[in-house]
Amino acid sequence: MKRRNFLKNSSLTAAGLVSASAITACNTENKPVETPAVATTPVDPIKPIVVCTWNFLNATDKAWEVLKSGGTSLDAVEQGVMVEEADVTNETVGKGGRPDRDGNVTLDACIMDKDGNCGSVVYLQNIVHPVSVARKVMEETPHIILAGKGAEKFAYEQGFKKEDLFTESTRKQYEEWLNTSKYETTINIENHDTIGMLAIDANGDLSGACTTSGMAYKVGGRVGDSPIIGAGLYVDNEVGGATATGVGEEVIRTVGSFLIVELMRQGKSPQEACEEGVKRIMKKNEGRKDFQIGFLAINKNGETGGYCVHPGFTYREYSEKGHVNREVKSFYS
Ligand code: SD4
């Protein structure tokens, strides 16, 4: 076996990413036998299709419009989540997102394409569309993550405009919050609006995007899971994609979205993989009930699934079969 192949195989084994049978399945010339990326063979894959966390009708409408007109999944997810970034009534994404405890609105976003390229911005201020800055990071720089002032400077260089992200409502809420300055790291169980979106285009190619203002009144400088590739979002065009919403710290601890994609690679359905993802988190938080996490996944066949800690998480799905808001099962009833 060539050294390069040996190293490749040993690192995959060490990471537990391929089964023993796949490794030992060598022909007489000691060349690795190709093993399928997904255990199930697509009979009639559903495409195009788009899914997103929560009941974001307008965002999925927009993404569907892109997909239906023959657009790529990358354009679909970017333009889809931009709808929420611009919607000032959504107070955890883009303009109108709630600030941190120092009164700064700081945004996190990432995007990932069919070739495994990705871009991300963290702690970005004064820009309405962090997802588009993340795409520029992916396409115009040799880097993956830009943070804070550097990300903001880069955005201006790319032609993005400076804009106050506060709205009258979020400023008023913040001023009221200052009266008590109660610091809670948990996100209200009923109140999550982060948008994670996954799409498969007519070519069968998969992309994803995720964007948020994170936890309201977080410590200045805090970054959640949403812009962290593998945590809040992960896409593998051979297997599927996953995204998350909820308390980011818990998602980061298990590298949730990457875990779910790898579970699908090993043959689990999107539903089974999301359930396992939540169970891993709950194992580290035995008895804890004061937080919500919602996972959403899609595989290459266009099958989807979701699971959450508490009832209430839903996801939108839009394909030729229709446009639906799906309720998902939860760990606690
Ligand atoms: C975060 N996961 O920053 C995000 C928050 C979120 O709905 O999903 N809110 O931790």
Side-chain angles (χ1 to χ4, degrees), residues 92 187 192-194 212 214-215 222 224-226 245-249:
T92 67
I187 294 179
H192 296 267
D193 297 331
T194 290
T212 189
M215 281 180 186
R222 182 260 184 189
D225 61 317
S226 305
T245 179
V247 175
E249 280 71 6

Side-chain angles (χ1 to χ4, degrees), residues 15 17 29 119 131 138 172 174 209 222 242 284 286 313:
L17 300 184
E29 290 160 339
V131 73
M138 174 173 88
K172 200 163 156 250
Y174 176 61
R222 182 260 184 189
K284 290 184 162 62
E286 253 170 73
F313 174 55

